Amino acid sequence: MHRSRLAGFIIDCNTDDLPSAAQFWGGALGMQTRQLPEAEGEKYVRLLDPEERLHIEVQAVKHPSRVHLDIETDDVEAEVRRLEALGARRLEQVHTWWVMEAPTGQRFCVVRAKIDAGFEAGAHRWVDAP
């Protein structure tokens, strides 16, 4: 058995001016921005969800701009296998997470969950295949 849920959204921006992109999206969504520490801050800016439910970041990328979602789980490999059984395919492993593609072409990531009360209460429980 493993658990997973929607973690949030990543706004991929093909830009050399990440602070301006984050400022736009923060203003558009009514969210404050927070610079992330060290090297992570060169590629990501966090948008603060006032309800503290979704994890939202603006990310500098080299591919065309798009929005992708993250699914968080307490067992990345089990969740990736479950999604493959539904028709998704693995594209690339990055650190501890997988970039995947839905059968309809949308990209998404499967990431490790920060296990907290929100995850415990909101995650769906899946029975893993033997």
Short mmCIF file of all heavy atoms in Angstrom, two decimals, residues 40-98:
data_model
loop_
_atom_site.label_atom_id
_atom_site.label_comp_id
_atom_site.label_asym_id
_atom_site.label_seq_id
_atom_site.Cartn_x
_atom_site.Cartn_y
_atom_site.Cartn_z
N GLU A 40 19.12 26.45 -5.55
CA GLU A 40 17.71 26.24 -5.87
C GLU A 40 17.04 27.56 -6.27
O GLU A 40 16.17 27.59 -7.13
CB GLU A 40 17.01 25.66 -4.63
CG GLU A 40 15.75 24.93 -4.93
CD GLU A 40 15.15 24.27 -3.69
OE1 GLU A 40 15.50 24.62 -2.55
OE2 GLU A 40 14.28 23.42 -3.89
N GLY A 41 17.49 28.66 -5.66
CA GLY A 41 16.93 29.97 -5.94
C GLY A 41 17.26 30.51 -7.32
O GLY A 41 16.64 31.46 -7.79
N GLU A 42 18.24 29.91 -7.99
CA GLU A 42 18.58 30.33 -9.35
C GLU A 42 17.58 29.80 -10.37
O GLU A 42 17.47 30.32 -11.47
CB GLU A 42 19.98 29.84 -9.72
CG GLU A 42 21.07 30.46 -8.86
CD GLU A 42 22.43 29.84 -9.11
OE1 GLU A 42 22.59 29.17 -10.15
OE2 GLU A 42 23.31 30.03 -8.26
N LYS A 43 16.84 28.76 -9.98
CA LYS A 43 15.93 28.10 -10.92
C LYS A 43 14.47 28.16 -10.50
O LYS A 43 13.59 27.99 -11.33
CB LYS A 43 16.37 26.65 -11.08
CG LYS A 43 15.72 25.95 -12.23
CD LYS A 43 16.36 24.63 -12.54
CE LYS A 43 15.62 23.98 -13.70
NZ LYS A 43 16.18 22.75 -14.13
N TYR A 44 14.19 28.40 -9.20
CA TYR A 44 12.83 28.34 -8.69
C TYR A 44 12.53 29.54 -7.78
O TYR A 44 13.37 29.97 -7.02
CB TYR A 44 12.61 27.09 -7.82
CG TYR A 44 12.86 25.79 -8.51
CD1 TYR A 44 14.10 25.16 -8.42
CD2 TYR A 44 11.85 25.16 -9.23
CE1 TYR A 44 14.32 23.94 -9.04
CE2 TYR A 44 12.07 23.94 -9.85
CZ TYR A 44 13.31 23.33 -9.75
OH TYR A 44 13.53 22.14 -10.36
N VAL A 45 11.28 30.03 -7.85
CA VAL A 45 10.75 31.00 -6.90
C VAL A 45 9.42 30.43 -6.41
O VAL A 45 8.59 30.00 -7.21
CB VAL A 45 10.52 32.39 -7.53
CG1 VAL A 45 9.83 33.33 -6.54
CG2 VAL A 45 11.84 32.99 -7.99
N ARG A 46 9.23 30.41 -5.12
CA ARG A 46 8.01 29.87 -4.51
C ARG A 46 6.93 30.93 -4.49
O ARG A 46 7.19 32.09 -4.20
CB ARG A 46 8.32 29.41 -3.09
CG ARG A 46 7.14 28.85 -2.32
CD ARG A 46 7.07 27.35 -2.48
NE ARG A 46 5.87 26.82 -1.89
CZ ARG A 46 5.82 26.18 -0.74
NH1 ARG A 46 6.92 25.97 -0.05
NH2 ARG A 46 4.69 25.72 -0.28
N LEU A 47 5.70 30.54 -4.84
CA LEU A 47 4.53 31.38 -4.65
C LEU A 47 3.80 30.85 -3.42
O LEU A 47 3.59 29.65 -3.29
CB LEU A 47 3.60 31.33 -5.86
CG LEU A 47 4.19 31.79 -7.20
CD1 LEU A 47 3.13 31.73 -8.29
CD2 LEU A 47 4.77 33.18 -7.10
N LEU A 48 3.46 31.74 -2.51
CA LEU A 48 2.89 31.32 -1.23
C LEU A 48 1.37 31.27 -1.32
O LEU A 48 0.69 32.29 -1.42
CB LEU A 48 3.33 32.28 -0.12
CG LEU A 48 4.84 32.38 0.05
CD1 LEU A 48 5.19 33.41 1.11
CD2 LEU A 48 5.45 31.04 0.40
N ASP A 49 0.83 30.06 -1.29
CA ASP A 49 -0.61 29.82 -1.31
C ASP A 49 -1.18 30.28 0.03
O ASP A 49 -0.82 29.74 1.07
CB ASP A 49 -0.87 28.33 -1.52
CG ASP A 49 -2.34 27.94 -1.46
OD1 ASP A 49 -3.20 28.83 -1.34
OD2 ASP A 49 -2.62 26.73 -1.54
N PRO A 50 -2.06 31.29 0.03
CA PRO A 50 -2.58 31.78 1.30
C PRO A 50 -3.33 30.72 2.10
O PRO A 50 -3.43 30.81 3.31
CB PRO A 50 -3.50 32.95 0.91
CG PRO A 50 -3.71 32.85 -0.54
CD PRO A 50 -2.61 32.01 -1.11
N GLU A 51 -3.85 29.70 1.43
CA GLU A 51 -4.54 28.61 2.13
C GLU A 51 -3.57 27.50 2.54
O GLU A 51 -3.98 26.52 3.15
CB GLU A 51 -5.65 28.05 1.25
CG GLU A 51 -6.75 29.07 0.99
CD GLU A 51 -7.85 28.53 0.11
OE1 GLU A 51 -7.98 27.29 0.01
OE2 GLU A 51 -8.57 29.34 -0.47
N GLU A 52 -2.32 27.62 2.14
CA GLU A 52 -1.27 26.65 2.47
C GLU A 52 -1.63 25.23 2.05
O GLU A 52 -1.28 24.26 2.70
CB GLU A 52 -0.92 26.72 3.95
CG GLU A 52 -0.38 28.07 4.37
CD GLU A 52 0.00 28.14 5.83
OE1 GLU A 52 -0.20 27.14 6.56
OE2 GLU A 52 0.49 29.19 6.24
N ARG A 53 -2.34 25.09 0.94
CA ARG A 53 -2.72 23.77 0.46
C ARG A 53 -1.81 23.29 -0.67
O ARG A 53 -1.32 22.18 -0.65
CB ARG A 53 -4.20 23.80 0.00
CG ARG A 53 -4.67 22.62 -0.81
CD ARG A 53 -4.51 21.28 -0.09
NE ARG A 53 -4.90 20.19 -0.97
CZ ARG A 53 -4.07 19.43 -1.67
NH1 ARG A 53 -2.78 19.61 -1.60
NH2 ARG A 53 -4.50 18.46 -2.44
N LEU A 54 -1.60 24.16 -1.67
CA LEU A 54 -0.82 23.75 -2.84
C LEU A 54 0.59 24.30 -2.80
O LEU A 54 0.83 25.43 -2.36
CB LEU A 54 -1.51 24.24 -4.12
CG LEU A 54 -2.86 23.61 -4.43
CD1 LEU A 54 -3.47 24.28 -5.65
CD2 LEU A 54 -2.72 22.11 -4.66
N HIS A 55 1.51 23.52 -3.29
CA HIS A 55 2.89 23.94 -3.47
C HIS A 55 2.98 24.49 -4.90
O HIS A 55 2.76 23.75 -5.86
CB HIS A 55 3.83 22.75 -3.28
CG HIS A 55 5.26 23.11 -3.41
ND1 HIS A 55 6.03 23.38 -2.32
CD2 HIS A 55 6.04 23.29 -4.49
CE1 HIS A 55 7.25 23.70 -2.73
NE2 HIS A 55 7.28 23.65 -4.05
N ILE A 56 3.28 25.78 -5.03
CA ILE A 56 3.33 26.40 -6.35
C ILE A 56 4.68 27.09 -6.50
O ILE A 56 5.09 27.86 -5.62
CB ILE A 56 2.19 27.42 -6.54
CG1 ILE A 56 0.83 26.72 -6.33
CG2 ILE A 56 2.26 28.06 -7.93
CD1 ILE A 56 -0.34 27.65 -6.28
N GLU A 57 5.37 26.80 -7.61
CA GLU A 57 6.65 27.43 -7.90
C GLU A 57 6.69 27.91 -9.34
O GLU A 57 6.03 27.33 -10.21
CB GLU A 57 7.81 26.46 -7.67
CG GLU A 57 8.04 26.13 -6.22
CD GLU A 57 9.21 25.18 -6.00
OE1 GLU A 57 9.73 24.59 -6.96
OE2 GLU A 57 9.61 25.03 -4.84
N VAL A 58 7.46 28.96 -9.55
CA VAL A 58 7.79 29.41 -10.90
C VAL A 58 9.20 28.89 -11.16
O VAL A 58 10.10 29.06 -10.33
CB VAL A 58 7.73 30.95 -11.00
CG1 VAL A 58 8.13 31.41 -12.39
CG2 VAL A 58 6.34 31.45 -10.64
N GLN A 59 9.40 28.23 -12.29
CA GLN A 59 10.66 27.57 -12.60
C GLN A 59 11.21 28.09 -13.93
O GLN A 59 10.49 28.16 -14.92
CB GLN A 59 10.43 26.06 -12.70
CG GLN A 59 11.62 25.27 -13.18
CD GLN A 59 11.33 23.78 -13.29
OE1 GLN A 59 12.17 23.00 -12.90
NE2 GLN A 59 10.20 23.37 -13.82
N ALA A 60 12.49 28.44 -13.95
CA ALA A 60 13.16 28.81 -15.21
C ALA A 60 13.52 27.53 -15.95
O ALA A 60 14.12 26.61 -15.37
CB ALA A 60 14.41 29.63 -14.92
N VAL A 61 13.13 27.45 -17.23
CA VAL A 61 13.38 26.26 -18.04
C VAL A 61 13.92 26.66 -19.41
O VAL A 61 13.81 27.82 -19.82
CB VAL A 61 12.09 25.41 -18.21
CG1 VAL A 61 11.59 24.88 -16.89
CG2 VAL A 61 11.01 26.21 -18.93
N LYS A 62 14.45 25.70 -20.13
CA LYS A 62 14.93 25.92 -21.50
C LYS A 62 13.93 25.44 -22.54
O LYS A 62 14.05 25.76 -23.70
CB LYS A 62 16.29 25.22 -21.71
CG LYS A 62 17.38 25.75 -20.80
CD LYS A 62 17.64 27.21 -21.07
CE LYS A 62 18.73 27.74 -20.16
NZ LYS A 62 18.72 29.19 -20.06
N HIS A 63 12.96 24.62 -22.14
CA HIS A 63 11.93 24.15 -23.08
C HIS A 63 10.81 25.19 -23.15
O HIS A 63 10.78 26.14 -22.38
CB HIS A 63 11.42 22.77 -22.67
CG HIS A 63 10.82 22.69 -21.30
ND1 HIS A 63 9.63 23.29 -20.96
CD2 HIS A 63 11.27 22.10 -20.16
CE1 HIS A 63 9.35 23.05 -19.70
NE2 HIS A 63 10.34 22.34 -19.19
N PRO A 64 9.85 25.03 -24.05
CA PRO A 64 8.74 25.99 -24.14
C PRO A 64 7.99 26.12 -22.80
O PRO A 64 7.87 25.15 -22.05
CB PRO A 64 7.82 25.39 -25.21
CG PRO A 64 8.74 24.57 -26.06
CD PRO A 64 9.77 24.00 -25.10
N SER A 65 7.49 27.31 -22.54
CA SER A 65 6.75 27.57 -21.30
C SER A 65 5.49 26.73 -21.25
O SER A 65 4.82 26.50 -22.26
CB SER A 65 6.38 29.05 -21.21
OG SER A 65 7.55 29.84 -21.12
N ARG A 66 5.16 26.25 -20.04
CA ARG A 66 3.95 25.45 -19.82
C ARG A 66 3.73 25.35 -18.31
O ARG A 66 4.56 25.79 -17.53
CB ARG A 66 4.08 24.06 -20.44
CG ARG A 66 5.24 23.25 -19.89
CD ARG A 66 5.39 21.93 -20.62
NE ARG A 66 6.55 21.22 -20.13
CZ ARG A 66 7.40 20.58 -20.91
NH1 ARG A 66 7.22 20.57 -22.22
NH2 ARG A 66 8.42 19.94 -20.41
N VAL A 67 2.65 24.77 -17.93
CA VAL A 67 2.36 24.48 -16.52
C VAL A 67 2.34 22.97 -16.37
O VAL A 67 1.76 22.27 -17.19
CB VAL A 67 1.01 25.09 -16.09
CG1 VAL A 67 0.66 24.68 -14.66
CG2 VAL A 67 1.04 26.61 -16.22
N HIS A 68 2.98 22.48 -15.32
CA HIS A 68 2.87 21.05 -15.05
C HIS A 68 2.51 20.84 -13.58
O HIS A 68 2.73 21.72 -12.76
CB HIS A 68 4.14 20.28 -15.44
CG HIS A 68 5.28 20.39 -14.49
ND1 HIS A 68 6.33 21.27 -14.67
CD2 HIS A 68 5.56 19.71 -13.35
CE1 HIS A 68 7.19 21.13 -13.69
NE2 HIS A 68 6.75 20.19 -12.88
N LEU A 69 1.93 19.70 -13.29
CA LEU A 69 1.57 19.42 -11.91
C LEU A 69 2.52 18.41 -11.31
O LEU A 69 3.20 17.67 -12.02
CB LEU A 69 0.11 18.98 -11.79
CG LEU A 69 -0.34 17.71 -12.50
CD1 LEU A 69 -0.09 16.48 -11.65
CD2 LEU A 69 -1.81 17.81 -12.82
N ASP A 70 2.58 18.41 -9.99
CA ASP A 70 3.36 17.45 -9.23
C ASP A 70 2.41 16.57 -8.42
O ASP A 70 1.48 17.08 -7.78
CB ASP A 70 4.32 18.14 -8.25
CG ASP A 70 5.55 18.72 -8.92
OD1 ASP A 70 5.74 18.52 -10.13
OD2 ASP A 70 6.34 19.37 -8.21
N ILE A 71 2.66 15.27 -8.46
CA ILE A 71 1.95 14.32 -7.61
C ILE A 71 2.96 13.89 -6.55
O ILE A 71 4.06 13.44 -6.89
CB ILE A 71 1.46 13.10 -8.41
CG1 ILE A 71 0.42 13.55 -9.45
CG2 ILE A 71 0.91 12.03 -7.48
CD1 ILE A 71 -0.01 12.46 -10.42
N GLU A 72 2.60 14.06 -5.28
CA GLU A 72 3.50 13.64 -4.21
C GLU A 72 3.06 12.30 -3.66
O GLU A 72 1.87 11.99 -3.63
CB GLU A 72 3.61 14.69 -3.11
CG GLU A 72 2.36 14.94 -2.32
CD GLU A 72 2.54 15.98 -1.23
OE1 GLU A 72 3.69 16.26 -0.84
OE2 GLU A 72 1.52 16.49 -0.76
N THR A 73 4.05 11.52 -3.23
CA THR A 73 3.76 10.16 -2.77
C THR A 73 4.77 9.73 -1.72
O THR A 73 5.90 10.23 -1.67
CB THR A 73 3.80 9.17 -3.97
OG1 THR A 73 3.53 7.85 -3.49
CG2 THR A 73 5.14 9.18 -4.68
N ASP A 74 4.37 8.77 -0.91
CA ASP A 74 5.29 8.20 0.07
C ASP A 74 6.09 7.04 -0.51
O ASP A 74 6.96 6.49 0.15
CB ASP A 74 4.57 7.79 1.36
CG ASP A 74 3.44 6.80 1.13
OD1 ASP A 74 3.24 6.34 -0.01
OD2 ASP A 74 2.75 6.48 2.11
N ASP A 75 5.83 6.67 -1.78
CA ASP A 75 6.59 5.62 -2.46
C ASP A 75 6.64 5.95 -3.95
O ASP A 75 5.72 5.60 -4.71
CB ASP A 75 5.94 4.26 -2.21
CG ASP A 75 6.76 3.09 -2.75
OD1 ASP A 75 7.53 3.28 -3.72
OD2 ASP A 75 6.61 1.98 -2.22
N VAL A 76 7.71 6.64 -4.37
CA VAL A 76 7.80 7.13 -5.75
C VAL A 76 7.72 5.98 -6.75
O VAL A 76 6.96 6.06 -7.73
CB VAL A 76 9.09 7.97 -5.95
CG1 VAL A 76 9.31 8.30 -7.43
CG2 VAL A 76 9.02 9.25 -5.12
N GLU A 77 8.46 4.92 -6.54
CA GLU A 77 8.47 3.82 -7.50
C GLU A 77 7.10 3.16 -7.63
O GLU A 77 6.64 2.87 -8.74
CB GLU A 77 9.54 2.78 -7.14
CG GLU A 77 9.71 1.68 -8.17
CD GLU A 77 10.08 2.17 -9.57
OE1 GLU A 77 10.75 3.22 -9.72
OE2 GLU A 77 9.69 1.48 -10.54
N ALA A 78 6.42 2.94 -6.52
CA ALA A 78 5.09 2.34 -6.57
C ALA A 78 4.10 3.25 -7.31
O ALA A 78 3.29 2.78 -8.11
CB ALA A 78 4.58 2.03 -5.16
N GLU A 79 4.19 4.56 -7.07
CA GLU A 79 3.29 5.49 -7.74
C GLU A 79 3.58 5.56 -9.23
O GLU A 79 2.66 5.59 -10.05
CB GLU A 79 3.38 6.88 -7.10
CG GLU A 79 2.45 7.90 -7.70
CD GLU A 79 0.97 7.66 -7.48
OE1 GLU A 79 0.57 6.66 -6.83
OE2 GLU A 79 0.17 8.47 -7.98
N VAL A 80 4.85 5.54 -9.61
CA VAL A 80 5.22 5.56 -11.03
C VAL A 80 4.68 4.30 -11.72
O VAL A 80 4.10 4.38 -12.80
CB VAL A 80 6.75 5.71 -11.20
CG1 VAL A 80 7.19 5.39 -12.62
CG2 VAL A 80 7.18 7.12 -10.79
N ARG A 81 4.82 3.17 -11.09
CA ARG A 81 4.29 1.92 -11.67
C ARG A 81 2.76 1.99 -11.80
O ARG A 81 2.20 1.55 -12.80
CB ARG A 81 4.70 0.71 -10.83
CG ARG A 81 6.15 0.31 -11.00
CD ARG A 81 6.46 -1.06 -10.40
NE ARG A 81 5.96 -1.24 -9.06
CZ ARG A 81 6.64 -0.99 -7.94
NH1 ARG A 81 7.88 -0.54 -7.99
NH2 ARG A 81 6.09 -1.20 -6.75
N ARG A 82 2.08 2.53 -10.81
CA ARG A 82 0.62 2.67 -10.86
C ARG A 82 0.21 3.55 -12.04
O ARG A 82 -0.70 3.22 -12.80
CB ARG A 82 0.10 3.28 -9.55
CG ARG A 82 -1.42 3.36 -9.47
CD ARG A 82 -1.88 4.06 -8.20
NE ARG A 82 -1.71 5.50 -8.28
CZ ARG A 82 -2.54 6.33 -8.91
NH1 ARG A 82 -3.60 5.86 -9.55
NH2 ARG A 82 -2.31 7.63 -8.91
N LEU A 83 0.92 4.65 -12.22
CA LEU A 83 0.61 5.57 -13.31
C LEU A 83 0.95 4.98 -14.68
O LEU A 83 0.24 5.21 -15.66
CB LEU A 83 1.30 6.91 -13.08
CG LEU A 83 0.80 7.65 -11.84
CD1 LEU A 83 1.77 8.75 -11.43
CD2 LEU A 83 -0.60 8.19 -12.07
N GLU A 84 2.03 4.19 -14.73
CA GLU A 84 2.36 3.49 -15.98
C GLU A 84 1.24 2.51 -16.35
O GLU A 84 0.88 2.39 -17.53
CB GLU A 84 3.68 2.74 -15.84
CG GLU A 84 4.88 3.64 -15.89
CD GLU A 84 6.19 2.90 -15.66
OE1 GLU A 84 6.23 1.99 -14.80
OE2 GLU A 84 7.17 3.24 -16.33
N ALA A 85 0.66 1.86 -15.37
CA ALA A 85 -0.44 0.93 -15.64
C ALA A 85 -1.66 1.66 -16.20
O ALA A 85 -2.45 1.07 -16.93
CB ALA A 85 -0.82 0.17 -14.36
N LEU A 86 -1.78 2.95 -15.89
CA LEU A 86 -2.87 3.77 -16.44
C LEU A 86 -2.53 4.33 -17.82
O LEU A 86 -3.38 4.94 -18.46
CB LEU A 86 -3.19 4.92 -15.49
CG LEU A 86 -3.76 4.53 -14.13
CD1 LEU A 86 -3.85 5.76 -13.22
CD2 LEU A 86 -5.13 3.88 -14.31
N GLY A 87 -1.28 4.15 -18.27
CA GLY A 87 -0.89 4.60 -19.60
C GLY A 87 0.18 5.67 -19.65
O GLY A 87 0.61 6.07 -20.73
N ALA A 88 0.62 6.17 -18.50
CA ALA A 88 1.70 7.18 -18.48
C ALA A 88 3.03 6.50 -18.81
O ALA A 88 3.15 5.28 -18.74
CB ALA A 88 1.78 7.84 -17.10
N ARG A 89 4.00 7.33 -19.18
CA ARG A 89 5.34 6.77 -19.42
C ARG A 89 6.40 7.63 -18.75
O ARG A 89 6.24 8.84 -18.61
CB ARG A 89 5.62 6.60 -20.90
CG ARG A 89 5.71 7.88 -21.68
CD ARG A 89 5.87 7.57 -23.18
NE ARG A 89 6.07 8.80 -23.92
CZ ARG A 89 7.24 9.23 -24.36
NH1 ARG A 89 8.32 8.52 -24.20
NH2 ARG A 89 7.33 10.37 -25.02
N ARG A 90 7.47 6.96 -18.33
CA ARG A 90 8.59 7.65 -17.70
C ARG A 90 9.39 8.37 -18.79
O ARG A 90 9.67 7.81 -19.84
CB ARG A 90 9.53 6.66 -17.02
CG ARG A 90 8.91 5.88 -15.92
CD ARG A 90 9.91 4.87 -15.35
NE ARG A 90 9.21 3.82 -14.64
CZ ARG A 90 9.59 3.34 -13.46
NH1 ARG A 90 10.69 3.80 -12.89
NH2 ARG A 90 8.90 2.40 -12.88
N LEU A 91 9.79 9.61 -18.49
CA LEU A 91 10.64 10.34 -19.42
C LEU A 91 12.04 10.51 -18.88
O LEU A 91 13.01 10.31 -19.60
CB LEU A 91 10.04 11.72 -19.72
CG LEU A 91 8.70 11.72 -20.46
CD1 LEU A 91 8.22 13.14 -20.68
CD2 LEU A 91 8.82 10.99 -21.78
N GLU A 92 12.16 10.91 -17.63
CA GLU A 92 13.49 11.20 -17.08
C GLU A 92 13.44 11.18 -15.56
O GLU A 92 12.54 11.76 -14.96
CB GLU A 92 13.94 12.58 -17.55
CG GLU A 92 15.26 13.02 -17.00
CD GLU A 92 15.65 14.44 -17.42
OE1 GLU A 92 14.82 15.15 -18.03
OE2 GLU A 92 16.78 14.82 -17.13
N GLN A 93 14.43 10.53 -14.95
CA GLN A 93 14.56 10.62 -13.51
C GLN A 93 15.47 11.80 -13.18
O GLN A 93 16.54 11.95 -13.77
CB GLN A 93 15.14 9.34 -12.92
CG GLN A 93 15.13 9.36 -11.41
CD GLN A 93 15.47 8.02 -10.79
OE1 GLN A 93 16.05 7.15 -11.44
NE2 GLN A 93 15.11 7.85 -9.54
N VAL A 94 15.02 12.65 -12.26
CA VAL A 94 15.78 13.82 -11.82
C VAL A 94 15.90 13.72 -10.31
O VAL A 94 14.88 13.77 -9.60
CB VAL A 94 15.07 15.13 -12.21
CG1 VAL A 94 15.89 16.33 -11.76
CG2 VAL A 94 14.79 15.19 -13.70
N HIS A 95 17.11 13.57 -9.82
CA HIS A 95 17.33 13.38 -8.38
C HIS A 95 16.44 12.24 -7.88
O HIS A 95 16.60 11.12 -8.30
CB HIS A 95 17.12 14.68 -7.60
CG HIS A 95 17.97 15.81 -8.10
ND1 HIS A 95 19.33 15.84 -7.95
CD2 HIS A 95 17.64 16.95 -8.76
CE1 HIS A 95 19.82 16.93 -8.49
NE2 HIS A 95 18.82 17.63 -9.00
N THR A 96 15.47 12.57 -7.01
CA THR A 96 14.61 11.53 -6.43
C THR A 96 13.23 11.46 -7.06
O THR A 96 12.38 10.72 -6.58
CB THR A 96 14.44 11.78 -4.92
OG1 THR A 96 13.83 13.07 -4.75
CG2 THR A 96 15.77 11.74 -4.19
N TRP A 97 12.96 12.23 -8.10
CA TRP A 97 11.63 12.24 -8.70
C TRP A 97 11.70 11.86 -10.17
O TRP A 97 12.75 11.81 -10.78
CB TRP A 97 10.93 13.58 -8.51
CG TRP A 97 11.52 14.75 -9.24
CD1 TRP A 97 11.19 15.16 -10.50
CD2 TRP A 97 12.49 15.67 -8.78
NE1 TRP A 97 11.91 16.27 -10.84
CE2 TRP A 97 12.74 16.61 -9.79
CE3 TRP A 97 13.22 15.80 -7.58
CZ2 TRP A 97 13.64 17.65 -9.67
CZ3 TRP A 97 14.12 16.83 -7.46
CH2 TRP A 97 14.32 17.74 -8.50
N TRP A 98 10.50 11.57 -10.72
CA TRP A 98 10.36 11.20 -12.13
C TRP A 98 9.56 12.23 -12.89
O TRP A 98 8.50 12.66 -12.42
CB TRP A 98 9.66 9.85 -12.27
CG TRP A 98 10.60 8.70 -12.15
CD1 TRP A 98 10.87 7.97 -11.03
CD2 TRP A 98 11.41 8.16 -13.19
NE1 TRP A 98 11.80 7.00 -11.32
CE2 TRP A 98 12.15 7.10 -12.64
CE3 TRP A 98 11.59 8.47 -14.54
CZ2 TRP A 98 13.04 6.34 -13.38
CZ3 TRP A 98 12.48 7.71 -15.29
CH2 TRP A 98 13.20 6.66 -14.70
#
